[in-house]
Amino acid sequence: FVTDRRVLVFLSPVALCASVAMSDSRYNIHSQLEHLQSKYVGTGHADTTKFEWLVNQHRDTAASYVGHPNLLDYVALVENESKERVRFNLLKKAIQPCGPPPYKPED
């Protein structure tokens, strides 16, 4: 229904219910995400810095290499090192995988 260049939109009860359900599911998804972020360290949160996220990625990758023997074999073969030397290097690197944290000025 068009009058004077204005478009009037009438929402049916079904469309209105779908709109409300969509906003409820959005809230539900956000609350689930917040729960996961509080439960698991590596999932981050709204205040996660780029450095923290990168450190988590590097530590997860190193832990995966150490935890999966076939991946450890592959890395050892590529680097031409023994498996235990590669495991030691990965564990040592997991302490500060991206170097020291950046300077944060006090607020």
Side-chain angles (χ1 to χ4, degrees):
F1 183 74
V2 178
T3 60
D4 295 330
R5 296 184 188 178
R6 286 183 249 162
V7 177
L8 300 177
V9 177
F10 296 102
L11 289 177
S12 68
V14 173
L16 189 58
C17 289
S19 173
V20 170
M22 191 168 158
S23 68
D24 286 345
S25 68
R26 185 179 312 145
Y27 174 75
N28 191 16
I29 289 170
H30 286 295
S31 65
Q32 287 176 358
L33 183 60
E34 287 174 1
H35 174 71
L36 284 176
Q37 289 171 342
S38 67
K39 189 174 179 182
Y40 299 108
V41 176
T43 55
H45 50 81
D47 298 327
T48 301
T49 64
K50 182 178 179 181
F51 179 78
E52 292 170 341
W53 182 82
L54 201 58
V55 166
N56 284 333
Q57 292 295 316
H58 281 266
R59 285 186 178 152
D60 287 348
T61 302
S64 179
Y65 290 159
V66 170
H68 293 90
N70 292 334
L71 288 174
L72 192 64
D73 288 344
Y74 178 74
V75 174
L77 181 68
V78 169
E79 291 183 356
N80 197 21
E81 293 281 347
S82 70
K83 289 192 305 186
E84 291 306 314
R85 173 58 61 185
V86 171
R87 184 188 320 270
F88 175 76
N89 288 341
L90 287 171
L91 291 175
K92 189 169 84 172
K93 191 176 180 182
I95 295 170
Q96 279 191 336
C98 301
Y103 173 72
K104 290 183 186 177
E106 296 296 323
D107 291 335

